[in-house]
Amino acid sequence: MTLDARIPEGPLAAKWEQHKFNVKLVNPANKRKYDIIVVGTGLAGASAAATLAELGYNVKAFCYQDSARRAHSIAAQGGINAAKNYQNDGDSVYRLFYDTIKGGDYRAREANVYRLAQVSVNIIDQCVAQGVPFAREYGGLLANRSFGGAQVSRTFYARGQTGQQLLLGAYSALNRQIAYGKVKMYPRTEMLDLVMVDGKARGIITRHLITGKIERHSAHAVILATGGYGNVFYLSTNAMGSNTTAIWRAHKKGAYFANPCFTQIHPTCIPVSGEYQSKLTLMSESLRNDGRVWVPKAVGDKRAPQDISEEERDYFLERKYPSFGNLVPRDVASRNAKQACDEGRGVGSTGLAVYLDFADAIQRDGLDKVSQKYGNLFDMYAKITGENPYESPMRIYPAVHYTMGGLWVDYNLMTSIPGLYATGECNFSDHGANRLGASALMQGLADGYFVIPYTIGDYLAQMKTEKVPTDHPAFNQAEQEVVSRVNRFLNTKGTKTVDQYHKELGLLMWDYCGMARNAEGLRFAKQKISELKADFWQNVRVLGANEELNMTLEKAGRVADFIELGELMVDDALHRNESCGGHFREEYQTPENEALRDDENFAYVAAWEYTGDNQPENLHKEALNFENVKLTQRSYK
Amino acid sequence: MNLTLRVWRQKNANSPGQLVTYNANNISPDMSFLEMIDVVNEDLTIKGEDPIAFDHDCREGICGMCSMYINGRAHGPEKGTTTCQLHMRKFNDGETITIEPWRANAFTINKDLSTDRSALDRIQQAGGYISVNTGGVPDANEIPIPKNIADKAFDAATCIQCGACVAACKNASAMLFVSAKVSQLALLPQGKVERKTRVENMLAQHDAEGFGACSNIGSCAAECPVGISLENIAILNREYLGAKLTSENVG
């Protein structure tokens, strides 16, 4: 079967307009006859739920948190891109499109990325109208700054909490529809399975996290907006609850999983300090505008940073990439930090860190100016590490941040299951192999406010309005599977905790399927994960009952799915015999140790089809055709 | 570090609760408060005892999910900090730490330290938004907003809806929370159209949920992890008075 991405015909710039005209419409009076389920209420989910309800559909929205406002979109710091050209610096839709395609190392679909750039302009208008307090100039107009990978100032921001403010905008739009009764909100509710009727997505099975009640929800279409799966690595910058269960369950029901091994590693994270550590905290990338990255030249030099003289320091990014210096893209900065540590030149007690030094900036601009720019980040660092970054350099290390892989979707954001859509981070679509900064927020809101409300109508208009009753045999069967899985966890009564398995999996994934991989390591990891999986189902210990708040039970289900996803990530990394973006296969590199792409053989989306437990998955390839950009080797020298 | 914890254990909203004592041994000063509880929970699980339930998610101080009363203070002893960003180096070896859930009539206890704060969502649903549909909005730069006003609105918008203000208030009032949203939207030109109905409806919902009245003690602002200012309550009062005393067209 060849994957049909349903990319509209015609010139790039006209595709979306033409497509909006071609899609079938649902009569306003008929919209209220359709029910739509939205799982997840971050930027992609809340914006979709609110907008679909505004249009007149009946929406049921679900989130595992206690409030829709706590989705992990809230933690995004930096900003959101839009091709507004307010700064008159030559920005345009085409330039944003071009930067994004290039930033993704030519592994994203042209048509999707162009549409993203087009609607970026509407996103800012929409958010401002909702009262999102973006940064402004003294004259009252919106302020912009520039972000990694772009040479124009197109990033809109709200101090260091852009994600929080954008999400509050979407959450308020959602609240309005909840108050109108057009959205029924289900917080503290987790989707545990997808219900299929006649080959179409027609509902979900959920568990209420306080009462344990298993419920059935029927709809005409289901939208998954459940975010990324970076917690497969255990330590990541994701919220603790971010998980893969919804998309993994959908995958097992027939939704193809695309580019699972594409994980973005962020270079400026506070390093791991002990085995108890539960999560990693990102420091804004903007720090690299003034901070200088270095390690000692000598292997094993454990002296305090102030005792190491200038001549004994290696400012490796400035040395290797003179034109971009400390501002090289995320994958380049990350890989070089790892390399320095692998050579034994890492700093701090673990040796897994490099210095980010502000001494020169403080000397040049003064303490006040540096503190004005980065004060809140310095405070955060001091709070977490107990060290004063004004006096000694920060220590940073790369960390898992964002997953570019996800469910395969066509141009309409529909997965390979009719009636099942995936939006935001949980789909694979717009970022290619190495997402740029400030583009994730853009995609979440583009999908939710401006894409899915148009494209889902095309599907609904072609189906009957009859509802599937929740006593349909497909619901019985799906619920039965969920209940027996829950019981299996509770009855295993093993000796190892869920967290022990999660940590073990995470370490395997990080060591062998992280920033740098090779075939031998991936094969080793594959074997180890398979053993871990067998052991998990024999020896996991979940106490308590289903009919109560049971956080261990919640975690057990999520970790079981992470283990299976981990296997697929390893397979995907193993089959891609090239290095692209942050996905560095050590066998494929240039003489200067840079990523070596193979456009001849790998300019495609790898979409995996589930074929049964413990069976190898089928690989489907969606060829990526570049008609508007020329594929070039990225260089930041 | 070795610590003694006195933790509120309560099976669900309908069962009585009590403080139970646990030992937390070999605690690193670099751990966050929640990581310390993680470690205790791993021990409990191995021993076959029910781990302590608590709410948490981003662990970066921004999602507002974590909520604990530590030694009699919302989010613990450090000023301007959520529980997830509180670190064990703020405590002393051998110390006894008492950990309780948020206590307020409007927040019921789910289990142990986890409470139901959905009342805050319902207050937002009563009017904490601008009525604008997706699409068809004016260009973002068509309505300039002076920087000082935008900054002030932003300061109010930083509320993370954690409920510490309620927990800290002797009347269990959520007035600081309501005032943050009311002033953010009342300050912005986009929010002025609905300012009268907004403040009336949000306050009516606040009272209906069982939150107490504000008596201007200020413990809410003192314990707020993101520094929401009491000035917002002054703005709220002015908005409310304006709504009550004037016609639809509040000046």
Side-chain angles (χ1 to χ4, degrees), chain B residues 35-50:
Chain B
E35 285 166 346
M36 183 272 293
I37 302 182
D38 288 342
V39 169
V40 171
N41 274 345
E42 283 287 282
D43 286 350
L44 288 176
T45 307
I46 296 291
K47 280 195 268 181
E49 293 178 40
D50 195 21

Side-chain angles (χ1 to χ4, degrees), chain B residues 1-50:
Chain B
M1 297 161 74
N2 295 322
L3 303 157
T4 305
L5 306 183
R6 297 171 68 232
V7 185
W8 186 262
R9 302 300 306 261
Q10 181 171 340
K11 198 167 168 45
N12 54 47
N14 303 318
S15 316
Q18 58 172 337
L19 285 167
V20 179
T21 302
Y22 300 98
N23 292 320
N25 295 330
N26 300 317
I27 299 301
S28 154
D30 288 333
M31 285 181 187
S32 72
F33 198 83
L34 299 185
E35 285 166 346
M36 183 272 293
I37 302 182
D38 288 342
V39 169
V40 171
N41 274 345
E42 283 287 282
D43 286 350
L44 288 176
T45 307
I46 296 291
K47 280 195 268 181
E49 293 178 40
D50 195 21

